[in-house]
Amino acid sequence: MFRHMKEDVATIFERDPAATGYLEVLLTYSGLHALWFYRVAHFFFKRKWYFIARAISQIARFFTGIEIHPGAKIGRRFFIDHGAGVVIGETCEIGDDVTLYQGVTLGGTGKEKGKRHPTLKDGVLVATGAKVLGSITIGENAKIGANSVVLKDVPDDSTVVGIPGKVVVQNGVRVKDQFDHCEMPDPVTDRLVQLETELNELKQILLMSERK
């Protein structure tokens, strides 16, 4: 246990340039506290002491603002940066060397049973506010852009952005976007143009009737 705790602290120093000292990390990093609470809760969850596990999870949520279900499976060197608003569902599986930023949700869509939360393989990074939903797999070393909503599997070594999330870089090569975002349809403008056309037609009809 103490070996894992030491590794958790070392991970923060590796990935967060703002970390300046051990005392600061131990006392002020909510992501670290939430991870340690999770480990205790997960210990009880595996032994089917569900109430105690969920109680510890809720205490952690109250103090850290981070909710990790005790049933989730989390690998080594997991890092939550800032952490406020992070939610990790019960059937999530998270590999080694994964990084999450604040506001990330690893949740379900409300439709599945059984495995209903995502699997994040080794080295995944999920940026601020992203939502990864459903029983999908995020491949190794993939990156999810800020505020993206990901509903489908993501290949290894890919970068995903947008709502819904689309792969824009794969294996270091930019993926050609089949849709020009500069020419996105504007339904309000389209409707106004249609109304203007109908109004002009009505004017022509009125002019013709007056002449008669």
Side-chain angles (χ1 to χ4, degrees):
M1 181 180 68
F2 290 106
R3 180 173 58 85
H4 282 299
M5 293 174 71
K6 184 177 180 180
E7 185 176 62
D8 295 335
V9 174
T11 298
I12 292 174
F13 282 105
E14 288 174 5
R15 299 189 207 171
D16 186 2
T20 58
Y22 285 98
L23 188 61
E24 175 197 7
V25 169
L26 291 172
L27 296 180
T28 66
Y29 273 63
S30 58
L32 180 65
H33 302 156
L35 179 60
W36 287 350
F37 270 114
Y38 154 78
R39 291 226 177 101
V40 176
H42 187 63
F43 172 86
F44 288 107
F45 189 89
K46 288 193 298 183
R47 286 153 182 78
K48 299 183 179 181
W49 294 6
Y50 299 127
F51 176 77
I52 295 176
R54 289 307 301 271
I56 294 171
S57 176
Q58 290 302 302
I59 292 170
R61 178 185 178 185
F62 177 80
F63 283 107
T64 67
I66 299 168
E67 182 174 349
I68 305 177
H69 194 287
K73 298 177 181 177
I74 298 177
R76 296 173 60 186
R77 297 178 296 279
F78 179 57
F79 177 46
I80 303 177
D81 197 2
H82 297 291
V86 168
V87 176
I88 299 174
E90 177 183 5
T91 59
C92 280
E93 297 180 18
I94 298 175
D96 298 334
D97 302 301
V98 171
T99 299
L100 306 183
Y101 287 85
Q102 66 269 24
V104 168
T105 298
L106 306 180
T109 62
K111 298 178 181 179
E112 303 104 332
K113 295 182 179 179
K115 181 72 169 75
R116 58 192 186 277
H117 298 105
T119 296
L120 277 58
K121 292 189 175 181
D122 297 348
V124 169
L125 184 148
V126 186
T128 304
K131 315 300 177 188
V132 184
L133 306 176
S135 181
I136 61 176
T137 299
I138 310 301
E140 291 185 5
N141 302 312
K143 294 178 175 62
I144 309 300
N147 295 315
S148 299
V149 178
V150 183
L151 303 172
K152 296 181 180 179
D153 291 347
V154 174
D156 295 349
D157 301 300
S158 299
T159 299
V160 173
V161 299
I163 303 175
K166 294 183 179 180
V167 176
V168 294
V169 175
Q170 188 170 2
N171 296 318
V173 179
R174 186 169 183 80
V175 177
K176 185 177 181 181
D177 196 347
Q178 297 178 352
F179 190 83
D180 188 350
H181 292 278
C182 297
E183 298 180 1
M184 291 182 68
D186 185 344
V188 175
T189 301
D190 292 344
R191 182 58 178 160
L192 288 173
V193 171
Q194 182 182 354
L195 289 172
E196 185 178 13
T197 302
E198 293 174 356
L199 183 60
N200 289 332
E201 291 175 355
L202 289 172
K203 285 181 178 179
Q204 292 297 323
I205 293 171
L206 287 172
L207 287 172
M208 291 177 63
S209 62
E210 288 178 356
R211 289 173 182 174
K212 291 180 180 179

